[in-house]
């Protein structure tokens, strides 16, 4: 059976505890390695502006490796990844992201192409079961000019 590969987009946040460039690079590398180990193919990684270090809209409480209690975070390092992966491997990727200490939060979305989305939409039928007609809303042929309306000379031919 042929596996179905789809395009995905992954946005994840690295906690600000990992401040150094090397630590951020290692966290990104660990996530991309998890994707490639599951048979995914990385297409793009973006952590340049407007991504990168940003403030949160609200504080997030999360556990940090090596600490017994949760810590409050008010900012994080955002990373956006694009990749292709088999659909049956996505659940395993989400499990690995939840277990990864270097990922504070993540959002995994399916990227659909516009052409495929249009072909799946069925036409709407009217109440009597007939196909809807394409109605052309044409404007009246007898349009008034702006100058004629302002001067009050709409169709005066004296």
């Amino acid at each position: 059976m042929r596996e179905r590969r789809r395009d995905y987009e992954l946005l994840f946040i690295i906690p600000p505890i990992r401040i150094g460039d090397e630590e951020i690079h290692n966290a990104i590398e660990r996530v991309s390695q998890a994707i490639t180990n599951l048979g995914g193919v990385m297409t793009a990684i973006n952590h340049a502006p407007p991504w990168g270090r940003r403030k949160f809209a609200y504080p997030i409480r999360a556990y940090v490796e090596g600490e017994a209690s949760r810590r409050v975070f008010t900012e994080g390092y955002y990373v956006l990844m694009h990749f292709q992966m088999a659909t049956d491997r996505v659940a395993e990727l989400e499990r690995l992201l939840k277990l990864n200490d270097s990922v504070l939060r993540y959002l995994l979305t399916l990227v659909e192409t516009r052409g495929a989305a249009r072909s799946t939409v069925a036409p709407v039928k009217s109440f009597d079961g007939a196909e809807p007609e394409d109605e052309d809303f044409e404007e009246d042929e007898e349009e008034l000019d702006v100058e004629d309306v302002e001067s009050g000379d709409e169709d005066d031919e004296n």
Side-chain angles (χ1 to χ4, degrees):
M1 183 172 159
R2 186 176 156 213
E3 66 181 21
R4 185 171 184 190
R5 297 182 70 83
R6 311 271 315 254
D7 291 328
Y8 292 96
E9 185 176 79
L10 173 67
L11 178 69
F12 65 95
I13 304 171
I14 300 171
I17 290 176
R18 308 193 185 289
I19 293 289
D21 290 337
E22 185 176 325
E23 292 173 333
I24 290 171
H25 178 71
N26 289 340
I28 294 170
E29 189 63 34
R30 194 169 0 164
V31 172
S32 64
Q33 192 71 343
I35 292 170
T36 55
N37 287 345
L38 291 172
V41 177
M42 298 297 301
T43 55
I45 299 174
N46 186 1
H47 54 91
W51 305 110
R53 192 175 186 120
R54 300 179 62 145
K55 282 196 150 305
F56 297 149
Y58 55 89
I60 296 176
R61 292 181 61 193
Y63 287 103
V64 179
E65 61 182 314
E67 294 185 10
S69 63
R70 296 192 302 181
R71 184 183 275 195
V72 176
F73 295 106
T74 58
E75 60 183 19
Y77 196 84
Y78 285 73
V79 180
L80 179 67
M81 291 185 169
H82 294 272
F83 61 93
Q84 294 178 347
M85 180 182 279
T87 55
D88 58 346
R89 307 296 265 162
V90 173
E92 179 68 17
L93 175 63
E94 286 187 328
R95 187 184 76 78
L96 291 174
L97 288 170
K98 288 177 186 175
L99 294 174
N100 193 342
D101 288 335
S102 62
V103 175
L104 186 63
R105 294 277 196 273
Y106 73 91
L107 178 65
L108 180 64
T109 56
L110 174 67
V111 178
E112 293 192 21
T113 58
R114 290 188 182 261
R118 287 186 188 152
S119 64
T120 59
V121 176
V124 179
K125 297 192 182 229
S126 62
F127 291 112
D128 60 357
E131 291 287 328
E133 297 177 10
D134 289 336
E135 297 179 11
D136 294 334
F137 296 104
E138 296 180 9
E139 296 182 19
D140 294 336
E141 293 178 9
E142 297 179 15
E143 292 183 1
L144 299 175
D145 290 336
V146 175
E147 296 171 1
D148 292 340
V149 173
E150 290 176 355
S151 65
D153 299 332
E154 295 171 8
D155 284 327
D156 295 336
E157 295 180 11
N158 290 340

